[in-house]
Amino acid sequence: TARREEPPKEPVPEPESEPVRVVQAEVPVVPAPGAPAKSPDDWFNDARGAFEGRAFDRSLALITYAIRLDSQRGEFHAFHAKVLDVLQRDVRTKVKALETAIRLNPKDVDSTILLAQAFQTLGMQTRATRLWEVAYNLAPKHPIFRKGGEQARAGAKGGSGKVAAKEAQAGLGEQWTALVEGTKDKLSRLFKRG
């Protein structure tokens, strides 16, 4: 049997490849089989740790995963909204998270205040006013409602009494009190005309 010789092969040029881009994943990696599974609370604590470490994108990914695991926890949704507020992203998602947090925990004053501020920013004054009312009824001594707050105390310690007094007058607490009193007055006049 005669053996045929094959002609030598020419080297084939390799196609030029595009540079590899590394993309950071938005969703945390699920633990390997056999490893102890993390609870939603563990993911939530990791998200808070990342938030405190100023890793806001990581915190957002972790809290999103915790919500996927347990969507019936109001504090998860409230923290989700807090992270979105810091990142100043996606106002609609922030509003949905806050509404869910308030639905799950109606006595969450901080979420109510944050939602009222979001509605004010969006120009939805009626809804914002109603939420401010709810927040005030839940916690009338909340720092945001105090007259003058920290500005008045700082002015009293540092001197400049006139400046501190003007800042105290412009405080949110005083504005809120004036708004509530004005609304009560208008409502009483409206219903007395009957």
Side-chain angles (χ1 to χ4, degrees):
T1 62
R3 189 169 174 204
R4 277 195 257 167
E5 279 191 42
E6 295 181 18
K9 293 184 179 179
E10 293 182 27
V12 178
E14 292 187 26
E16 292 183 31
S17 62
E18 294 182 25
V20 177
R21 295 185 320 181
V22 177
V23 179
Q24 189 175 13
E26 282 288 324
V27 179
V29 178
V30 178
K38 289 173 80 173
S39 71
D41 288 321
D42 293 335
W43 290 106
F44 177 63
N45 291 333
D46 289 348
R48 286 194 327 202
F51 185 84
E52 290 168 4
R54 305 193 57 79
F56 301 123
D57 287 323
R58 178 169 168 68
S59 180
L60 181 62
L62 292 168
I63 193 61
T64 302
Y65 192 72
I67 290 171
R68 284 186 191 156
L69 295 176
D70 186 359
S71 64
Q72 298 303 311
R73 301 276 299 274
E75 65 269 20
F76 289 7
H77 293 280
F79 186 74
H80 183 218
K82 182 179 176 181
V83 173
L84 288 170
D85 188 48
V86 168
L87 290 172
Q88 296 181 347
R89 282 193 211 158
D90 202 3
V91 177
R92 282 188 231 149
T93 304
K94 179 174 92 171
V95 167
K96 284 172 64 175
L98 288 167
E99 287 175 335
T100 304
I102 292 169
R103 181 178 46 81
L104 294 171
N105 182 8
K107 294 183 178 183
D108 185 357
V109 178
D110 292 326
S111 292
T112 304
I113 290 170
L114 197 56
L115 185 57
Q117 291 171 338
F119 281 146
Q120 274 184 313
T121 302
L122 294 171
M124 303 169 87
Q125 299 304 327
T126 306
R127 292 180 86 180
T129 302
R130 187 179 43 141
L131 285 168
W132 280 116
E133 227 171 72
V134 169
Y136 184 77
N137 290 335
L138 287 173
K141 294 185 180 184
H142 190 280
I144 202 162
F145 298 119
R146 289 190 189 141
K147 293 183 181 180
E150 296 298 321
Q151 296 172 347
R153 278 187 228 108
K157 289 179 184 175
S160 164
K162 289 182 181 180
V163 173
K166 285 182 182 179
E167 289 175 345
Q169 286 177 344
L172 181 60
E174 190 169 290
Q175 292 175 13
W176 173 253
T177 305
L179 176 65
V180 169
E181 293 302 318
T183 304
K184 285 180 183 177
D185 184 46
K186 289 176 185 174
L187 286 173
S188 67
R189 281 189 271 152
L190 176 70
F191 289 111
K192 285 183 181 178
R193 290 184 183 174

